[in-house]
């Protein structure tokens, strides 16, 4: 019991150096937008203008936020990548959440993220990815490319060298094996367009 309490105390303490890394890493601007997006995941509402140290540390107590931070630090390379490896052992990210992508836009929000694998050519800015999602190769090649402000629902699969356009929504449980046009909502197996959301697309694009 005492050892578990001590371990919890150590892990709480490790949030402080993790926050310092987030504030000083080469990817700090993207990291701060990740946290602001975590705090405000709705794309139709504005993000906070700034992020306090307390708000950053509070967000880093969530496993899925730490997973995104470790991804950023690995992409920064060098000692930042080493720090990510060490700290991820001591203060783990989300269980069974794996990323393999060298080009990740700022403002990525992972909702829960359990049992999620993302292997992508590119992930655009302000993308929202839910739990039990698979993004990766198919027998036609790969990997996929996600545009800006793409939302991927729980249990969805995006497979092969497809492009999911800006502001598109991939519904829960959908299996995407073809390109998704910008601003469209797709669902089903295989996924097909169920909503021609030009008005929604225009409104979101206008909001920045």
């Amino acid at each position: 019991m005492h050892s578990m309490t001590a371990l919890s105390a150590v892990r709480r303490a490790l949030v402080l150096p993790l926050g310092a890394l987030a504030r000083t890493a080469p990817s700090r601007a993207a990291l701060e937008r990740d946290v602001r997006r975590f705090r405000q995941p709705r794309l139709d509402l504005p993000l906070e203008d700034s992020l306090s140290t307390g708000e950053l540390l509070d967000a880093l107590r969530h496993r899925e936020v730490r997973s995104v931070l470790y991804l950023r630090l690995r992409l920064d390379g060098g000692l930042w990548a080493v720090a990510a490896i060490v700290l991820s052992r001591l203060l783990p990210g989300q269980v069974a959440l794996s990323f393999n992508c060298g080009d990740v836009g700022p403002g990525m929000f992972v909702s829960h993220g359990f049992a999620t694998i993302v292997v992508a050519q590119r992930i655009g800015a302000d993308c929202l990815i839910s739990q039990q999602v698979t993004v990766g190769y198919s027998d036609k090649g790969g990997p996929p490319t996600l545009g800006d402000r793409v939302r991927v629902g729980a249990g969805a699969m995006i497979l092969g060298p497809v492009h999911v356009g800006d502001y598109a929504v991939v519904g829960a449980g959908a299996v995407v094996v073809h390109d998704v046009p910008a601003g469209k909502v797709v669902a089903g197996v295989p996924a097909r367009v169920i909503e021609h959301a030009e008005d929604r697309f225009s409104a979101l694009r206008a909001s920045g």
Side-chain angles (χ1 to χ4, degrees), residues 27 69-78 80-81 84 101-104:
S27 58
L69 169 63
Y70 295 141
L71 168 65
R72 299 278 186 205
L73 294 176
R74 290 197 304 271
L75 293 178
D76 286 338
W80 304 103
C101 181
D103 184 1
V104 181

Side-chain angles (χ1 to χ4, degrees), residues 11-34:
R11 287 181 170 174
R12 286 196 299 270
L14 286 173
V15 171
L16 293 173
L18 205 57
L21 282 175
R23 289 294 199 191
T24 57
S27 58
R28 58 187 174 275
L31 283 166
E32 289 195 8
R33 188 173 181 91
D34 295 336

Side-chain angles (χ1 to χ4, degrees), residues 7 10 16 34-36 39 44 62 93 112 115 125 129 136 153 160-161 166 180-181 186 189-190 193 195-197:
L7 179 60
V10 169
L16 293 173
D34 295 336
V35 174
R36 286 189 288 147
R39 289 171 55 82
D44 58 337
H62 295 266
H112 308 301
I129 299 175
D166 297 347
V180 177
V186 298
V189 183
V193 175
E195 181 180 343
H196 296 273

Side-chain angles (χ1 to χ4, degrees), residues 23 29 32-33 36-37 39-40 46-52 55:
R23 289 294 199 191
E32 289 195 8
R33 188 173 181 91
R36 286 189 288 147
R37 178 56 67 197
R39 289 171 55 82
Q40 177 48 273
L47 287 177
E48 299 163 319
D49 292 331
S50 61
L51 182 71
S52 71
E55 290 166 344

